[in-house]
Amino acid sequence: SGLQALYYSLDGSSFLPYTQPLLLDPTSAPILYAFADDNAANRSAIEVSIGDGTEESNTVGSLQVSFFH
């Protein structure tokens, strides 16, 4: 059905549209929340623990996130 929109949040309550890769500091944002809506009105949500702060880059669906410490 195709992706309609992708949103992310650093606090789990204020979600913003995802428009470009994110660069996050795990000491200030240890968890990334995200959800996607498709064109058939389905919603899929994830919660990603950034971890110990070692540098890494992950792609979850269409959401690309880089972590640094």
Side-chain angles (χ1 to χ4, degrees):
S1 62
L3 180 67
Q4 180 182 30
L6 185 60
Y7 297 91
Y8 73 95
S9 172
L10 303 179
D11 64 8
S13 61
S14 300
F15 285 82
L16 299 170
Y18 173 76
T19 58
Q20 62 187 16
L22 303 173
L23 183 62
L24 302 175
D25 180 351
T27 60
S28 63
I31 299 175
L32 174 69
Y33 305 88
F35 69 87
D37 293 332
D38 69 13
N39 292 322
N42 298 307
R43 177 166 285 178
S44 181
I46 61 168
E47 180 180 313
V48 179
S49 177
I50 294 175
D52 65 2
T54 57
E55 187 173 342
E56 60 182 283
S57 182
N58 290 315
T59 301
V60 179
S62 298
L63 182 70
Q64 180 181 351
V65 181
S66 295
F67 313 119
F68 69 93
H69 190 278

